Structure formats: C-alpha cells, structure tokens
Amino acid sequence: YSVEAVRSLRQQAALHLAETGQPEESISLLRQAEEWTAMARQIIVLAPAVLGQGRLATVNGWISSVPKHVLVENPWLRFWHACCRLFIHPSEAQMMFEQVFEQFVAQKDQAGALLTWTNVVRCILFQWRGLPRLDPWIERFGSLHPEGAPYPNSEIEAQVAEAMAGALVWRQPENPATKDWLEKAIFLSD
C-alpha cells in the first residue's frame, strides 16, 4: 500500500471507531494518519468527560501530539490543554487561560470566554497568593457578561457564579453583590 492509501484506511477506520463508541482508539488512528484537524475535533468532544475521570495525562498527551500550528488556531483545544495544567501547575495554566481568553473574546465565543474567565479566577484562587490579581478579572466581568444577559447554559452559569463568589469573598467582602453571588452559587450548585 502507498503512504496515501494507508493514511486513507486509517482515516476510515478512525471514523468507524468513533461511530461505534471507541473514540479514544479513533484518536490514536487519527494521530497515525496525521489528520490533525479531525483529531482536534475528537479531542474537544472527549476532553470534558476524560478530564472528568481525572485522566489529565491522557488529554495532555493527545493535545501535546498535535502540531503547534493546529493548536494555536484552535482556542478550544488550547482551553482543554490549560485545563490539564490547572491543578498541577496553576500559574502556567493561568497564563495559558489568559492567552486563550483573548482569542475567545476576539472570536465572540461567549461560552469559551466565560469558561476561560472562570478558570483564570480559579487559577488565582488555587495559587493562594497574589489575590489582588483577581481585581481586574472581577472588573472585566461586567463587560464580558452584562447584568441580566442570558448565559449559554446553566452549567456555565453555575461555574461563573462559583468563581465570582470566590473572587468577591476574598477581594470585596463588603460589596453587596458578594452576598448575591454567594446565594446564586449555592442555589445553582444544588
């Protein structure tokens, strides 16, 4: 078989594996076929569940094998890459989230921008030093999500409420909005 024929067979097999409930095996074949765009799409679909299982190294390995030019162009891939570092290297994750935040804002991707904002706040809180770094992120939230505007979904709303409540408790405990955000975070967590 020619190199191109092998690549085509791997692509077809990867598609079949994904369709039959074997997405991780699909990613392996897409990597071998050097089908980076398809691999990136598959990672983005799988990352939330795989990270939710605590398999940060798996997702990090997948993303690390994607060429830099593909990674740089794909903010969701970069978002999940930063999530892999959140608990291990929060300062590195913070820098990654800050960079991808700007990309989401430029692309007017509200879900991406809100989730990234949430994770920047979490990184700062996890580091437990330099809490004044929260101040510009608290301030920036107003322009990111004007009061009364709908959220993309209830999960994002809950994550934003949790992060904002944490930020305000430590930076603006006297602010009347702090109590409102705390109540919202508690309500949405049920």
Side-chain angles (χ1 to χ4, degrees):
Y1 292 101
S2 70
V3 172
E4 200 52 47
V6 170
R7 176 184 254 178
S8 177
L9 286 172
R10 284 182 176 149
Q11 290 170 355
Q12 291 171 26
L15 179 62
H16 178 72
L17 287 168
E19 290 172 350
T20 59
Q22 300 177 65
E24 292 185 47
E25 292 80 1
S26 172
I27 287 177
S28 178
L29 282 178
L30 291 169
R31 180 186 304 147
Q32 291 172 16
E34 297 181 354
E35 284 296 326
W36 307 119
T37 303
M39 184 179 166
R41 282 193 305 267
Q42 188 80 318
I43 292 168
I44 291 165
V45 169
L46 290 176
V50 176
L51 289 174
Q53 297 167 356
R55 297 169 52 207
L56 285 79
T58 298
V59 176
N60 189 59
W62 292 340
I63 296 172
S64 295
S65 69
V66 173
K68 189 172 181 102
H69 73 276
V70 175
L71 183 61
V72 169
E73 294 172 3
N74 192 318
W76 279 107
L77 204 56
R78 294 174 66 205
F79 172 85
W80 294 116
H81 201 208
C83 286
C84 293
R85 302 236 186 341
L86 181 61
F87 298 105
I88 300 167
H89 301 291
S91 61
E92 180 182 332
Q94 181 185 343
M95 290 187 315
M96 294 168 75
F97 282 126
E98 287 175 356
Q99 292 168 358
V100 78
F101 175 81
E102 298 303 334
Q103 196 172 2
F104 280 131
V105 169
Q107 293 180 0
K108 297 183 183 354
D109 184 331
Q110 186 186 32
L114 288 169
L115 287 170
T116 305
W117 178 92
T118 297
N119 282 317
V120 169
V121 170
R122 287 177 178 151
C123 286
I124 295 168
L125 290 170
F126 289 163
Q127 293 173 71
W128 201 246
R129 59 182 166 77
L131 292 179
R133 293 178 297 153
L134 290 167
D135 297 342
W137 290 98
I138 293 169
E139 185 177 324
R140 187 154 193 189
F141 183 76
S143 61
L144 177 63
H145 190 267
E147 191 171 336
Y151 286 87
N153 62 51
S154 59
E155 183 180 327
I156 291 173
E157 183 177 13
Q159 289 190 44
V160 167
E162 169 261 317
M164 182 60 89
L168 290 173
V169 161
W170 290 106
R171 294 304 300 155
Q172 300 176 16
E174 72 291 339
N175 184 334
T178 301
K179 181 178 182 256
D180 297 337
W181 279 103
L182 280 168
E183 289 173 355
K184 183 175 186 173
I186 291 167
F187 174 77
L188 292 172
S189 70
D190 289 339

